[in-house]
Amino acid sequence: MPYCEVGRYADGDKWEGVRVYYRRYGRGATKVLLIIGLAGTHDSWGPQIKGLTGSLEPADDEALRPDEEAAGGDGDGIEVCCFDNRGAGRSSVPPNKSYYSTAIMATDALALMDHLGWKKAHVFGHSMGAMIACKLAAIAPHRLCSLALLNVTGGGFQCFPKVDGQMLSLAFRFLRAKTPEERALVDLETHYTKEYLEETVGSCTRRMVLYQEYVKGISSTGMQSNCGFEGQINACWTHNMTTKELDTIRSAGFLVSVIHGRYDIIAQLCHAKRLAESLLPVARMVELHGAHLVSHERPDEVNNALMDLIKATGSAMKPEEWSAQPENTSGKLKKTKHLRFLFKANCSGSNLLRCVLIRDRGTHFREAHYRHDANR
């Protein structure tokens, strides 16, 4: 089994190692590290693994290869690595929540990159995994080729969903779920839009198909332990990106894509937009018709956005071009007039600040060239 020891923790009078379980897919000079979210496991990245590498067949794990990029590469292919975060799946479950934070888990990801012999990688994270990816980008910006943040928030109070009757019911059922069947029912309602679940697939609905897949998946890895869940919740709750950390990411020289489902009831869209705005001009906001697991609900659009990021990085696209280009998103595209402003700040030798603003219905300004909204 492919494991990597990423750290140690004190357990009474002895020290225990923390091991993360990982899988690699595809081969090539382009490296992509996928970081999954709260309570998730590596196989949740299935649609992206298939989209990026063309296969769901794990690569040979008998021996680690030297960094293919340094060794001359392996063509134009893409190699993907995804893993179970500490506290979930087949990875170690440290017993105290103090052993869980997005910074600690970012160092887990760095240790895995070292283990693989990867000097640099495109780092893509989903939900809590996107928080971890942010920390990784701030801690070791020289190790990133690009950064993609899917369904991300800024942690802390931003982790709270919009509270209504539906969300209270889901939270109550989630906490009471003791079996894979009970957990699967809740996960489906939080991960996808209702219309997607009710689509017909063959002779039944997509909800029925996904329910069977979820039960099978949860049963194969087992229900997440209370300790692991509480630890990962602590990581989300204590997560925070300081102004200095955001400045580090913005000035690191790599491009950022913030991808979000507009009907996400867990990670609210407004928080992702605010983060994207704080990372201008290196960040592009991609808003899609989907919910929290938009990577599954809209896999083609998400994969296209990720490939756009990889290609833009390869072509050394300038940040201003990246953030200013219109993004093809799902639904009806609405063009709006845009105004380009260039501000120059001379205080304390600060860098040139460029902002691209558009006028939305003549009253509000938003950070993009094109505003896409299926409801308009």
Side-chain angles (χ1 to χ4, degrees):
M1 285 290 187
Y3 284 94
C4 168
E5 184 163 323
V6 296
R8 302 180 70 81
Y9 65 90
D11 186 11
D13 297 330
K14 60 181 180 179
W15 287 85
E16 297 286 349
V18 179
R19 300 198 308 162
V20 298
Y21 177 83
Y22 69 93
R23 300 294 286 182
R24 291 178 298 142
Y25 302 84
R27 296 194 65 163
T30 300
K31 312 298 184 183
V32 177
L33 183 68
L34 302 176
I35 309 177
I36 198 58
L38 175 71
T41 53
H42 70 282
D43 48 1
S44 296
W45 285 109
Q48 284 60 59
I49 295 169
K50 182 66 178 297
L52 294 173
T53 70
S55 173
L56 288 173
E57 187 68 27
D60 179 21
D61 294 311
E62 292 182 0
L64 290 176
R65 303 185 298 275
D67 189 326
E68 290 163 347
E69 184 174 8
D74 191 20
D76 297 326
I78 296 176
E79 179 177 352
V80 166
C81 179
C82 50
F83 62 99
D84 298 342
N85 286 306
R86 61 170 64 200
R90 296 180 175 90
S91 292
S92 300
V93 184
N96 192 296
K97 68 180 183 180
S98 64
Y99 299 131
Y100 298 81
S101 72
T102 52
I104 291 173
M105 296 161 91
T107 61
D108 291 349
L110 272 177
L112 177 56
M113 287 179 63
D114 291 339
H115 177 75
L116 295 170
W118 291 6
K119 293 182 178 179
K120 299 188 73 170
H122 298 271
V123 177
F124 304 159
H126 176 265
S127 195
M128 181 188 73
M131 301 181 203
I132 296 169
C134 275
K135 281 295 180 184
L136 175 56
I139 293 170
H142 60 287
R143 303 292 297 272
L144 271 71
C145 299
S146 72
L147 176 66
L149 307 173
L150 284 70
N151 297 81
V152 68
T153 73
F157 284 105
Q158 291 187 21
C159 293
F160 283 115
K162 185 176 181 180
V163 179
D164 55 21
Q166 178 195 14
M167 181 50 62
L168 290 174
S169 173
L170 287 171
F172 179 74
R173 290 163 54 200
F174 179 86
L175 294 173
R176 285 177 56 89
K178 303 298 181 184
T179 67
E181 290 77 10
E182 292 173 338
R183 175 65 183 274
L185 288 172
V186 179
D187 282 354
L188 290 179
E189 292 187 43
T190 55
H191 288 171
Y192 305 100
T193 60
K194 183 177 179 180
E195 63 182 284
Y196 180 75
L197 291 175
E198 297 309 317
E199 288 179 1
T200 301
V201 180
S203 60
C204 57
T205 64
R206 192 182 301 277
R207 183 190 299 271
M208 295 174 64
V209 174
L210 288 173
Y211 172 75
Q212 294 173 356
E213 292 178 358
Y214 269 52
V215 171
K216 181 180 179 180
I218 298 171
S219 300
S220 65
T221 57
M223 294 283 286
Q224 186 181 23
S225 68
N226 289 336
C227 187
F229 178 71
E230 290 171 5
Q232 291 192 347
I233 285 289
N234 182 68
C236 295
W237 176 246
T238 58
H239 175 74
N240 178 57
M241 294 298 294
T242 66
T243 300
K244 183 178 180 180
E245 288 175 321
L246 293 174
D247 288 343
T248 296
I249 296 174
R250 189 167 50 243
S251 61
F254 53 77
L255 302 177
V256 181
S257 187
V258 181
I259 305 169
H260 213 94
R262 72 169 56 87
Y263 303 114
D264 189 340
I265 62 174
I266 298 177
Q268 296 184 61
L269 176 62
C270 59
H271 301 312
K273 286 186 173 181
R274 190 174 299 118
L275 179 59
E277 291 168 4
S278 71
L279 292 175
L280 283 172
V282 300
R284 172 190 289 184
M285 183 72 211
V286 182
E287 182 182 335
L288 298 175
H289 184 89
H292 190 61
L293 210 57
V294 70
S295 55
H296 283 227
E297 190 166 346
R298 297 288 177 177
D300 291 341
E301 288 99 327
V302 170
N303 292 342
N304 287 340
L306 297 177
M307 285 304 303
D308 285 347
L309 182 58
I310 292 173
K311 291 175 182 177
T313 299
S315 65
M317 181 181 288
K318 294 181 179 180
E320 293 80 5
E321 296 176 22
W322 170 251
S323 59
Q325 281 191 354
E327 181 64 34
N328 292 326
T329 56
S330 57
K332 183 180 178 182
L333 187 66
K334 178 182 178 64
K335 293 185 178 180
T336 59
K337 295 180 180 179
H338 71 273
L339 300 173
R340 183 182 297 271
F341 291 86
L342 183 65
F343 298 99
K344 189 170 185 179
N346 295 315
C347 301
S348 304
S350 58
N351 295 327
L352 192 65
L353 175 64
R354 298 177 175 87
C355 291
V356 179
L357 304 175
I358 66 166
R359 182 178 298 276
D360 180 44
R361 294 187 176 176
T363 56
H364 301 292
F365 290 97
R366 307 199 179 188
E367 314 278 358
H369 264 275
Y370 294 92
R371 167 74 175 161
H372 159 79
D373 194 328
N375 290 328
R376 296 184 180 180

